Amino acid sequence: MSVIVDLLLMLIHLSYSILHAVIQTFLRPRLKCIEGELCLITGAGGALGRLFAQEFAKEGAHLVLWDCNTAANEQTAKVVRELGVQVHTYTVDLSKRQNIYETADRVRAEVGEVSFLVNNAGVVAGRRLLDCPDELLERTLLVNCHALFWMTKAFLPQMKAKNHGHIVTIASALGLFSTACVEDYCASKFGAVGFHESLTHELLAEDMDGIKTTLVCPYIVDTGMFAGCEIRKELRSLIPPLEPLYTVQQSMKAILAEQQMICIPRLMYIAFLTRALLPWEANVATYRFMGGDKCMLPFIKNVELKTSNGHIKS
């Protein structure tokens, strides 16, 4: 009897969730106020990190900015201080676990308890697997995936103590479906998606309903990280690289609406579903038609040229 009751409750909850999602798609969701919250953003010196910092500053949040590039991080701080918010900067190497833990201790002692954690930092090796030094492969996995574990272990306990907080994972569409020649990046982003989803389930199982999570999975963003990446030329106008500001603004809407997941653009939901529903051979045929199987080759060539000229891409 209890199984039947649980099944009915599940069906009711399922129907409500679908209806709620449909309504949110067409109606403007209610956005929460984050004024005065302490927000930590990793990769704050990069294009997306700087834009996230600006958007959170506009909402009145106080900022803690982490990046391995001190100069770029300070430039972001300079930009957002003009918006009248408190900003604290830290130079951190996210590939080093101890560096994360030690800097987290400094943040708690010098600034306070972080209530918003935006895991934005990301890197890619830009080499074919057999041509890529092990150190670069490891760095991608450490920064894009392993660091999520250490960041969460560093800041989640304080969120749990108050049952209040928000963890944002900036993953990628390449964490939902893969493409050729960027094995390190795809593996790290699949790991990021899996980690984020499992963490969300854990918080729900523990009734930590005051701690929200948002997973962001954008298509390629025009930040220069994947410069040269191209799909079939006839389709490029249909799925162009995303503008950084548009990507961040769409992400912010999802974060402030406490949306659990967002794919940018919405067309990526279709690609995610077809990967799950179609046979492997059908997905391969689709990739080849779109040029997705070779889209990273121009990007890798660009990286090789930069490396040969003494400019190694980070």
Side-chain angles (χ1 to χ4, degrees):
M1 188 67 180
S2 61
V3 174
I4 296 174
V5 173
D6 287 344
L7 179 60
L8 289 172
L9 289 173
M10 183 198 72
L11 291 173
I12 292 170
H13 188 74
L14 182 65
S15 301
Y16 170 79
S17 299
I18 294 172
L19 180 61
H20 184 260
V22 170
I23 292 172
Q24 277 199 323
T25 301
F26 295 100
L27 298 180
R28 190 170 184 176
R30 189 177 184 182
L31 305 181
K32 68 180 178 182
C33 175
I34 60 170
E35 186 173 355
E37 300 276 4
L38 186 59
C39 172
L40 190 156
I41 302 171
T42 64
L48 290 185
R50 185 164 297 168
L51 289 169
F52 270 116
Q54 289 176 278
E55 293 300 314
F56 273 98
K58 289 175 184 176
E59 297 294 328
H62 302 310
L63 301 176
V64 175
L65 306 179
W66 283 21
D67 202 284
C68 62
N69 187 324
T70 303
N73 204 26
E74 290 300 336
Q75 182 59 38
T76 298
K78 180 180 178 181
V79 170
V80 294
R81 283 192 180 107
E82 293 176 357
L83 298 173
V85 299
Q86 296 178 20
V87 185
H88 302 266
T89 58
Y90 295 85
T91 301
V92 189
D93 185 348
L94 293 181
S95 69
K96 300 184 185 303
R97 178 181 57 193
Q98 198 57 37
N99 195 190
I100 290 174
Y101 287 155
E102 289 173 356
T103 311
D105 287 339
R106 285 183 58 199
V107 169
R108 280 190 291 273
E110 297 171 6
V111 187
E113 295 180 358
V114 170
S115 54
F116 256 81
L117 178 57
V118 182
N119 290 305
N120 163 74
V123 296
V124 62
R127 313 277 186 89
R128 285 175 173 272
L129 176 62
L130 298 183
D131 298 330
C132 188
D134 291 347
E135 296 78 16
L136 288 183
L137 291 173
E138 289 177 343
R139 181 169 177 259
T140 302
L141 292 166
L142 287 168
V143 173
N144 296 1
C145 183
H146 292 191
L148 303 180
F149 290 80
W150 320 140
M151 294 295 294
T152 303
K153 291 186 73 174
F155 294 105
L156 183 59
Q158 293 75 39
M159 295 184 189
K160 278 190 169 185
K162 295 182 177 180
N163 190 22
H164 175 75
H166 201 136
I167 297 175
V168 180
T169 302
I170 309 301
S172 170
L174 291 180
L176 303 175
F177 53 86
S178 60
T179 192
C181 301
V182 280
E183 290 88 349
D184 63 321
Y185 191 79
C186 289
S188 68
K189 291 302 184 178
F190 266 78
V193 170
F195 169 78
H196 180 97
E197 290 185 350
S198 181
L199 175 64
T200 300
H201 285 304
E202 178 178 327
L203 292 172
L204 291 172
E206 295 178 350
D207 293 323
M208 288 287 166
D209 55 349
I211 304 175
K212 309 300 179 182
T213 64
T214 299
L215 175 66
V216 181
C217 294
Y219 178 60
I220 293 170
V221 185
D222 190 15
T223 61
M225 187 175 184
F226 285 99
C229 175
E230 294 177 343
I231 60 172
R232 186 171 183 157
K233 63 181 180 180
E234 293 88 352
L235 299 175
R236 288 172 200 166
S237 61
L238 178 63
I239 319 176
L242 297 169
E243 288 293 327
L245 181 58
Y246 172 80
T247 304
V248 170
Q249 288 177 338
Q250 292 300 306
S251 301
M252 284 299 296
K253 287 179 182 177
I255 293 166
L256 297 179
E258 297 182 345
Q259 185 175 330
Q260 284 84 2
M261 176 185 180
I262 181 171
C263 289
I264 310 171
R266 291 185 181 277
L267 195 60
M268 291 300 103
Y269 288 109
I270 298 175
F272 177 44
L273 288 172
T274 56
R275 178 189 182 277
L277 298 175
L278 294 180
W280 171 257
E281 293 80 4
N283 279 305
V284 171
T286 304
Y287 272 43
R288 286 178 175 170
F289 170 76
M290 297 183 67
D293 59 330
K294 297 180 179 179
C295 68
M296 290 294 173
L297 296 182
F299 155 64
I300 291 173
K301 187 175 182 179
N302 279 351
V303 174
E304 289 173 348
L305 287 172
K306 289 182 179 180
T307 303
S308 65
N309 291 331
H311 302 289
I312 299 176
K313 186 176 183 65
S314 61

